[in-house]
Amino acid sequence: MGKERPKEVVAEIPSILVLEPAAEQRKRRAAGVEVRKEFQPDLESIKTHLKEIRHHSRDNHSVLLEELQRSLGQYAGLKLAIASDVKQAASYIKEIAGGTDLASINKSNVVINEIRPELEASGFKTYIRYFTEFKNIDKFERKVEDYWALPGLHERGLVESFDIAKTVTQLNSSEVRDYLAILGVNAISAEDGFAFFLQHMSNISKDLQQARKIVLVVSLEKVVQDREAASFQTRSMGIFGLESVLLDLGPKEIEGYDFESLPILAGGQDRELHVLILDNGRGGLVSGGYQDLFLCIDCRACARQCPIGLHLVKKGWVYSPKNYLFGFLQGWLPPTEACFHCGRCQVECPVDIDIPTLIWRAQLEHYVRHGRTWKKRLLDNPELLAKLGSLTAPLSNWAKDNSLLKPIMETLVGLHRKAQLPAFHRQTLRKLIKGGSRG
Ligand code: SF4
Ligand code: SF4
């Protein structure tokens, strides 16, 4: 008789791993600007491996989802829920909130863009701790900005590595406070349910340590094969999204909340971990013509490069072109009219999503159903705009650069007030050549 293999003991909860830039925040703050030049990853091999992970995740999403549910089912200290849309998600969170209406949310798209409006409609007060932390480092802000603003980080090999800064393997904590932490995971392993986050400040670590109830929100595309893939994807999000951190440094009209002023609860062991799997239209993407959106890792490299700034929206949150398109396809954002298909978002995308073509397709489908607005007709006719601009130069140049007229142009035509338009010249190339042949 063969020996029976001892049963593997499954922990109470799956490990939650938080990755941070390898040069620690504290060290950087104390020392000013510091970049690890010795770490120069081969970006092309990173992209190749990342694409393999993402294609596997997209092409096997239903199998991976089943596997994830099986894996999570093994952990006795975790409650699992599945929501097909944000209404269901918010109502589940309301049900488990246990009387508190205070929630700390992270900066993930699925939480901020999708669930947050529903949470607020059902009476929750939600705060993004990350932005508050940025506000609190005013005197270091310039240094942080200098650091992240280094031009051409990739080309110069100045890319940070991202290491695991914190691993949570159990819920016990001596600092528990009465609030909810609703955190969109950056990647999760189907094989064992290990969840990964990337943080540039300390908000996620604090929430994992302090919130009485933690809800990990898993959007379908974040489910990957195994721990290695989840870790790799999270690191890649940091590497390719490095410069997009600048998007968070601008002035924020965001109300902060000091979670650390809440009293520490006695008997802090009484905590809950929930995993909420959210579809919210993603399943439909895979069967429609937009399946490549499923490849996105939410690094926001495309948001940083998009010149029109349409995706810079109110309340201090910057949509990436991909998330803007997703919101439009789901019906909660207006059409992406101002995109002029320059292709910069695609060039920056580490997984080569052809966002301009997808936006094009979404626009066409929309205009076939609803017709084009006058704004769109105007933007679709750059030759007419150029002719008008040239004919009226230098008046047109004065108007396009006038700080009082820019907001009006933004409202009327949809071009962001910070967009840099080219200068118009009365002397066109054609006239110049004619003049040259005469002269
Ligand atoms: S193609 Fe459109 S969305 Fe992409 S960077 Fe250009 S303007 Fe922005
Ligand atoms: S679409 Fe944008 S956010 Fe998504 S992976 Fe590509 S660059 Fe990153």
Side-chain angles (χ1 to χ4, degrees), residues 139-152:
K139 64 177 176 172
F140 297 106
E141 189 161 303
R142 193 59 243 167
K143 282 180 181 168
V144 174
E145 189 160 357
D146 286 346
Y147 166 66
W148 293 113
L150 282 168

Side-chain angles (χ1 to χ4, degrees), residues 388-439:
L388 286 173
S390 300
L391 274 176
T392 54
L395 187 68
S396 50
N397 289 324
W398 169 82
K400 81 175 176 59
D401 295 330
N402 185 290
S403 57
L404 293 175
L405 293 177
K406 281 185 169 203
I408 300 173
M409 220 150 66
E410 182 178 289
T411 315
L412 286 179
V413 190
L415 287 177
H416 195 275
R417 65 192 71 186
K418 287 188 184 158
Q420 298 288 329
L421 294 179
F424 295 109
H425 298 276
R426 254 176 206 248
Q427 179 72 314
T428 62
L429 186 61
R430 197 170 291 161
K431 283 185 198 160
L432 203 70
I433 292 168
K434 274 187 188 163
S437 66
R438 272 201 304 273

Side-chain angles (χ1 to χ4, degrees), residues 47-59:
K47 283 183 187 173
T48 305
H49 187 38
L50 181 62
K51 280 185 231 170
E52 282 164 10
I53 292 172
R54 294 311 307 143
H55 281 260
H56 182 274
S57 170
R58 182 194 65 185
D59 300 341

Side-chain angles (χ1 to χ4, degrees), residues 334-397:
T336 48
E337 282 190 332
C339 168
F340 53 77
H341 311 285
C342 66
R344 283 178 77 174
C345 49
Q346 187 186 3
V347 171
E348 289 302 316
C349 179
V351 287
D352 289 339
I353 305 178
D354 187 354
I355 298 282
T357 302
L358 295 179
I359 291 182
W360 203 214
R361 180 182 301 162
Q363 285 179 337
L364 278 177
E365 287 169 1
H366 178 78
Y367 298 128
V368 165
R369 286 197 301 272
H370 306 284
R372 282 185 304 163
T373 59
W374 68 266
K375 249 191 238 180
K376 182 62 188 158
R377 284 171 197 273
L378 195 67
L379 287 169
D380 279 351
N381 202 337
E383 283 210 346
L384 177 69
L385 287 175
K387 270 185 190 158
L388 286 173
S390 300
L391 274 176
T392 54
L395 187 68
S396 50
N397 289 324

Side-chain angles (χ1 to χ4, degrees), residues 215-288:
V215 183
L216 302 185
V217 183
V218 176
S219 50
L220 292 195
E221 77 280 13
K222 297 290 189 268
V223 187
V224 297
Q225 193 169 12
D226 53 27
R227 217 182 286 178
E228 185 279 327
S231 167
F232 193 88
Q233 178 169 312
T234 309
R235 281 171 214 266
S236 303
M237 200 181 150
I239 290 171
F240 295 104
L242 201 64
E243 293 182 40
S244 72
V245 173
L246 278 176
L247 298 168
D248 302 324
L249 289 173
K252 297 278 170 308
E253 310 140 17
I254 281 178
E255 202 189 336
Y257 187 90
D258 184 8
F259 286 89
E260 286 176 66
S261 68
L262 291 168
I264 293 179
L265 299 175
Q269 293 86 343
D270 178 25
R271 301 180 81 202
E272 289 175 20
L273 176 69
H274 299 256
V275 175
L276 178 58
I277 298 174
L278 178 69
D279 183 313
N280 206 31
R282 289 168 174 80
L285 285 182
V286 183
S287 51

